[in-house]
Amino acid sequence: MRVIVVGAGVLGTMHAWHAAARGHEVVQIEREPEARGASLRNFGQIWVSGRAGGEELQTALRARELWEGIGEGVPALGFRATGSLTPVRTERELAVATAATERPDAAARGYKLLTADEARALNPALRGAFSAALWCERDAAVEPRTAQLALKEALLASGRYTFLGGREVRDVVDMPNGAAVRDDHGDTHTGDAVVLCTGAWLGGLVKELAPELPVRRVRLQMMQTDPLGEELPTSVADADSFRYYPAYGGDALRALVDGQPQEPVAAEHRMQLLMVQRRDGGLTIGDTHAYDEPFAFDVLEEPYEHLAGVVEGFLGRPLPRVRHRWAGVYAQCADTTRVVHREQVRDGVWLVTGPGGRGMTCSPAIAETTADELGW
Ligand SMILES: Cc1cc2nc3c(=O)[nH]c(=O)nc-3n(C[C@H](O)[C@H](O)[C@H](O)COP(=O)(O)OP(=O)(O)OC[C@H]3O[C@@H](n4cnc5c(N)ncnc54)[C@H](O)[C@@H]3O)c2cc1C
């Protein structure tokens, strides 16, 4: 078979990966010289901890297994089984963390409630004040700014893969057998299947092919610091993250939401702290969530000040200088319980988008499902 993949973010690249691994010829077309969308702007968290039980968790666990396997062959991905710690300070936060460890699927996630000393034994950089922490052993991380390039190099080495950067796909061309797309150079690319993994670009071609797409866009603010000067062995989240991830839903979360309001700036920008150390020692820190379009084109300082304060509280030391600030946009299924939106939009042409804030985590497994369903 010959598979045409449109979009070179993590979702497109993982489709290319599975197609090539199954012996097919792959042509991947990207409108930028190299991808620079959500897949490069994210934390690189392979985030199992907050996933909803059932299909979402199964997808994340399978994806983590795939990431680890791919990472063995492609060390430049920077796959690390970091695990994560969510320190808690109040009784209400502790109750949510405790309830998480009592879930029937807690063992599959590697959840454990730790004392502050036990948490510091795993992550000595957490010198600030907290009373306990939720440990999720299954969480992991990769390097988002270089992962796509590393995967591309490995795909090129397969001899079955062609990358066409700097070409925007404009049309789907009807074919009697198979499928084809036309790019902005006027070239037509023909295959047995076309998979559009065009991320949060929901206008233009995607709107023509799927006018009623049940997918929305979400914008996040992020930052990255100079090297910390010491190791941060685990990823770190704050208790605000309990409010955003379905795994924590229940009576304890309701008591937290009702009885312990978020700080106003965190509530206004729908914030949580997630933090992961990059291989150069810098910290990637976020995030905010904006849903109303048009999105602001500037990044706001107040959310950064809030995040810096939360991080300094956990580390018990000043934050290193901030080196980068940026925003990113991802596409999310309007029904957030759905892992992804996969739709056949023409004969031989599939659109796969909307993995939301879990796309970096789940893409290997989402692409594997596409490959299985399409009989690759
Ligand atoms: C700030 C931020 C932090 C996040 N953190 C995490 C995290 O830690 N863990 C996690 O699991 N998820 C995270 N996510 C979500 C995750 O990054 C996304 O779900 C995922 O990257 C989506 O991948 P994608 O390939 O669908 O989209 P993208 O990475 O946006 O790629 C789509 C590509 O398609 C190309 N394209 C579009 N239209 C065309 C066309 N017509 N022709 C050719 N090319 C085209 C674009 O140029 C782009 O390169 C985060 C997202 C953001 C924004």
Side-chain angles (χ1 to χ4, degrees):
M1 276 180 71
R2 184 175 151 92
V3 176
I4 311 290
V5 178
V6 181
V10 63
L11 199 50
T13 304
M14 285 299 172
H15 279 83
W17 186 271
H18 283 289
R22 294 173 189 210
H24 304 305
E25 190 189 339
V26 180
V27 178
Q28 188 168 19
I29 307 171
E30 165 59 46
R31 76 173 181 185
E32 303 282 350
E34 300 286 352
R36 46 187 290 150
S39 303
L40 281 85
R41 299 174 191 219
N42 63 42
F43 294 91
Q45 304 257 36
I46 309 307
W47 200 245
V48 169
S49 35
R51 308 275 74 109
E55 185 195 352
E56 188 178 316
L57 178 62
Q58 292 317 315
T59 306
L61 287 170
R62 173 60 183 152
R64 188 204 182 281
E65 196 180 346
L66 289 165
W67 272 117
E68 189 164 15
I70 297 169
E72 280 167 18
V74 187
L77 276 184
F79 178 89
R80 277 117 56 216
T82 54
S84 76
L85 286 167
T86 306
V88 297
R89 292 195 175 111
T90 68
E91 285 303 315
R92 288 189 175 91
E93 293 169 2
L94 178 64
V96 180
T98 306
T101 64
E102 290 163 357
R103 291 180 57 96
D105 53 21
R109 302 167 194 259
Y111 273 159
K112 210 173 160 196
L113 193 62
L114 304 183
T115 64
D117 285 345
E118 287 169 334
R120 284 192 193 99
L122 287 171
N123 192 338
L126 296 176
R127 296 188 198 88
F130 60 96
S131 55
L134 178 63
W135 165 240
C136 180
E137 182 267 334
R138 290 276 85 193
D139 285 336
V142 295
E143 291 300 294
R145 291 188 181 218
T146 50
Q148 310 316 309
L149 290 175
L151 291 166
K152 179 181 147 186
E153 289 307 314
L155 281 163
L156 287 169
S158 75
R160 292 188 289 279
Y161 171 79
T162 305
F163 180 86
L164 299 176
R167 287 169 184 256
E168 180 173 312
V169 167
R170 290 279 175 82
D171 293 310
V172 165
V173 183
D174 289 330
M175 302 285 292
N177 295 305
V181 292
R182 189 176 298 116
D183 69 26
D184 58 356
H185 292 42
D187 293 335
T188 299
H189 309 275
T190 308
D192 299 287
V194 171
V195 185
L196 302 169
C197 297
T198 44
W201 283 262
L202 305 179
L205 174 69
V206 169
K207 191 155 193 160
E208 283 169 28
L209 293 170
E212 305 298 328
L213 197 62
V215 170
R216 66 172 176 177
R217 302 188 335 138
V218 183
R219 178 185 181 272
L220 290 70
Q221 273 191 208
M222 305 280 286
M223 63 175 158
Q224 192 162 318
T225 70
D226 278 343
L228 181 63
E230 65 178 315
E231 208 187 333
L232 187 82
T234 75
S235 296
V236 177
D238 74 352
D240 279 349
S241 68
F242 293 152
R243 300 166 192 257
Y244 295 103
Y245 289 107
Y248 304 113
D251 292 343
L253 181 68
R254 271 190 292 279
L256 176 72
V257 170
D258 294 344
Q260 184 182 314
Q262 269 185 300
E263 281 195 28
V265 67
E268 182 186 349
H269 298 284
R270 292 138 172 151
M271 297 180 67
Q272 60 180 341
L273 169 76
L274 297 180
M275 171 166 66
V276 59
Q277 190 169 40
R278 299 270 70 90
R279 284 201 301 191
D280 74 352
L283 304 175
T284 302
I285 297 170
D287 54 19
T288 59
H289 296 93
Y291 302 96
D292 297 331
E293 299 208 41
F295 295 135
F297 55 78
D298 44 8
V299 291
L300 293 177
E301 201 52 30
E302 290 82 359
Y304 288 122
E305 288 166 2
H306 169 79
L307 287 172
V310 177
V311 173
E312 288 177 353
F314 285 148
L315 297 181
R317 53 169 279 184
L319 193 67
R321 185 180 72 107
V322 175
R323 184 185 275 179
H324 305 291
R325 298 174 200 266
W326 71 94
V329 176
Y330 61 67
Q332 179 185 52
C333 289
D335 173 358
T336 54
T337 63
R338 294 185 52 205
V339 173
V340 75
H341 180 78
R342 190 185 288 103
E343 177 181 354
Q344 183 168 2
V345 289
R346 293 286 187 276
D347 284 349
V349 183
W350 284 263
L351 172 65
V352 188
T353 186
R358 44 171 127 74
M360 193 69 173
T361 304
C362 294
S363 284
I366 292 170
E368 182 180 55
T369 302
T370 306
D372 290 345
E373 286 186 2
L374 271 54
W376 292 357

